[in-house]
Amino acid sequence: MTTYGKTFHTWQYDRDDFPYGIPQLMMGFTADGQASDDMIQARDERLGVSSSRKRQNRTDIPMPQVAPGANMWETGRTVQTRIEETDFKR
């Protein structure tokens, strides 16, 4: 709840078996309607989980106030990491 659905991924697990490249800031679905019902159902079946049961089990978790600008789909801007060569300081 407090990450706004954002995490740093060290690599895309479905592309390589080793962490090539730099970590990327990724966003998860955090609200109803962001993911299609068919996609959620397929994921639940593939992983043997129930999204509706998980939702029901989490009803006692309070919803935090979302900081302005925290959701990139509202502003159209996001943060990304980059590789930069720099001089070594002794």
Side-chain angles (χ1 to χ4, degrees), residues 53-88:
R53 192 172 306 117
K54 284 184 179 288
R55 180 185 296 258
Q56 194 172 31
N57 289 340
R58 296 173 178 168
T59 56
D60 62 333
I61 300 173
M63 180 63 79
Q65 182 122 13
V66 178
N71 294 317
M72 70 89 182
W73 62 85
E74 294 173 342
T75 63
R77 296 192 51 81
T78 187
V79 174
Q80 288 295 314
T81 55
R82 68 178 184 199
I83 294 176
E84 182 177 300
E85 189 172 311
T86 186
D87 293 332
F88 179 74

Side-chain angles (χ1 to χ4, degrees), residues 7-80:
T7 56
F8 276 97
H9 291 209
T10 54
W11 74 89
Q12 290 179 269
Y13 73 92
D14 59 339
R15 289 197 177 174
D16 297 305
D17 61 355
F18 188 78
Y20 298 105
I22 59 175
Q24 293 293 312
L25 181 61
M26 305 296 276
M27 182 192 79
F29 298 120
T30 58
D32 292 337
Q34 291 177 330
S36 73
D37 291 339
D38 290 342
M39 186 173 70
I40 292 170
Q41 183 178 353
R43 188 269 323 264
D44 284 2
E45 290 173 4
R46 187 175 67 250
L47 298 179
V49 299
S50 169
S51 291
S52 60
R53 192 172 306 117
K54 284 184 179 288
R55 180 185 296 258
Q56 194 172 31
N57 289 340
R58 296 173 178 168
T59 56
D60 62 333
I61 300 173
M63 180 63 79
Q65 182 122 13
V66 178
N71 294 317
M72 70 89 182
W73 62 85
E74 294 173 342
T75 63
R77 296 192 51 81
T78 187
V79 174
Q80 288 295 314

